[in-house]
Amino acid sequence: MQQIPLIISSCDKCSDLWFPFFKLLKEYWPKFERKVYLCTDTQQFSVTGFDISCPLNMPKGSTWSENLMSLLEQMDEEYVLMMLEDFWLKSKVDVLQLQRCEQIMTQDAGIGFICMVHQLDPSKENPVSKDYPELIEYGCNTPYRVTTQAGLWRRDYLLRLLRRHESAWWFEMFGSKRSRRYAYRSYVVNRSIFEYDDGGVLFRGSYVSEYVERFVKDHKIMLNPQRRIDSKATLMTEVSENSKTQKLNPRFVFNYIRSHF
């Protein structure tokens, strides 16, 4: 089977995260030989040992979804493995389990998405698959039935779910609801293949202090001094307060309605 390419979803303003990402990928996935598509706005990037393509030249102000859609529309591959640039690995990738998931997806035309990070325990709504005991099937009403966590995607299914105006966070929330319209099934592994800190080392553009400290100490990662560092609890509180004001914005209301279709 041809190697499924890796998409790193990012943007130019997060270019400081790229070298640490690949440094850790090389350490925790030493035999990595896949094609990499780095989904940036305009910047180019390369690092020794990786076949990286940065094919986009997007206009200023393009959204996360616009960039990703443009990249997917240029690709020929039927399946993709996608991660975000701030998912800095903390342990060895379970390559054998990943290969098993790839085999399952490529042989079962009814699967649209497999999340590579264990996120829930089996239940009536989310049962262990009878056909694939290493997977848990997402129920139709699971809140984050599709997610930006590391995952295997059927490319055309991902394209159908995306909306050009949405951020990654909106895609997770509304894309999960839109996924109910399609016959494709979604799964999550019952044992994580990739291990990284929940949500990534950034939260709304700031470093999460309890996440990045170990990378500075153990891997000598140099952080961008222009980025703020604070606890996740503090950052989440601030975002929650800002969202209350944002909901009064007419554009927010317009986009909120659009995301339901």
Side-chain angles (χ1 to χ4, degrees):
M1 181 180 70
Q2 185 178 3
Q3 290 272 41
I4 293 175
L6 173 64
I7 291 178
I8 308 300
S9 181
S10 186
C11 59
D12 289 359
K13 66 182 179 181
C14 289
S15 61
D16 55 305
L17 303 179
W18 300 343
F19 182 78
F21 178 94
F22 284 101
K23 173 183 172 69
L24 294 162
L25 182 63
K26 186 173 185 178
E27 177 173 347
Y28 291 123
W29 195 345
K31 295 184 179 180
F32 182 93
E33 296 179 344
R34 298 169 185 248
K35 174 72 177 179
V36 178
Y37 292 94
L38 184 55
C39 188
T40 68
D41 302 312
T42 61
Q43 286 193 31
Q44 297 295 306
F45 177 78
S46 63
V47 62
T48 302
F50 293 94
D51 179 13
I52 302 173
S53 176
C54 307
L56 297 185
N57 186 18
M58 300 298 289
K60 186 176 181 180
S62 60
T63 67
W64 177 86
S65 290
E66 283 177 318
N67 287 5
L68 182 55
M69 290 177 74
S70 181
L71 176 62
L72 292 170
E73 288 165 352
Q74 295 180 36
M75 297 174 63
D76 296 322
E77 292 89 347
E78 187 174 357
Y79 311 96
V80 297
L81 172 64
M82 189 173 76
M83 298 179 70
L84 303 187
E85 80 283 274
D86 65 335
F87 291 169
W88 292 1
L89 295 177
K90 299 193 299 181
S91 66
K92 296 287 186 183
V93 174
D94 190 338
V95 177
L96 290 179
Q97 190 187 7
L98 172 60
Q99 291 172 344
R100 171 56 181 156
C101 289
E102 290 177 321
Q103 180 187 47
I104 290 171
M105 172 165 274
T106 56
Q107 292 179 355
D108 188 335
I111 299 176
F113 171 62
I114 303 177
C115 181
M116 301 284 101
V117 180
H118 178 71
Q119 295 182 298
L120 61 131
D121 295 318
S123 66
K124 184 177 180 181
E125 172 66 15
N126 302 289
V128 173
S129 171
K130 294 180 180 179
D131 297 318
Y132 314 117
E134 53 272 272
L135 302 178
I136 299 170
E137 184 171 357
Y138 281 124
C140 286
N141 295 317
T142 303
Y144 290 96
R145 190 168 183 256
V146 299
T147 173
T148 58
Q149 297 294 338
L152 280 171
W153 285 92
R154 192 172 297 272
R155 183 176 63 91
D156 65 340
Y157 178 56
L158 178 54
L159 266 171
R160 291 183 196 182
L161 292 177
L162 288 163
R163 298 294 182 269
R164 294 190 179 276
H165 65 281
E166 289 184 343
S167 66
W169 303 282
W170 274 46
F171 167 73
E172 289 187 318
M173 181 168 56
F174 292 106
S176 292
K177 295 179 180 179
R178 294 191 296 265
S179 72
R180 301 169 190 166
R181 306 171 194 168
Y182 299 99
Y184 287 118
R185 305 188 305 279
S186 294
Y187 292 90
V188 59
V189 292
N190 57 24
R191 187 179 78 251
S192 291
I193 292 174
F194 296 90
E195 183 183 1
Y196 48 81
D197 289 301
D198 181 35
V201 297
L202 287 192
F203 188 82
R204 299 300 197 270
S206 298
Y207 288 120
V208 180
S209 57
E210 57 264 42
Y211 293 169
V212 296
E213 288 168 356
R214 73 168 67 85
F215 292 109
V216 173
K217 178 182 177 183
D218 298 339
H219 298 278
K220 305 299 185 283
I221 297 294
M222 296 185 64
L223 303 181
N224 183 348
Q226 296 181 338
R227 286 194 186 275
R228 174 187 172 190
I229 303 178
D230 216 324
S231 69
K232 190 158 190 178
T234 298
L235 296 170
M236 289 183 70
T237 298
E238 291 179 359
V239 168
S240 178
E241 291 299 320
N242 290 337
S243 66
K244 295 176 182 178
T245 302
Q246 187 183 35
K247 290 178 180 178
L248 300 176
N249 186 310
R251 183 166 184 81
F252 175 92
V253 175
F254 174 64
N255 284 335
Y256 180 84
I257 295 171
R258 293 170 70 192
S259 287
H260 285 82
F261 299 95

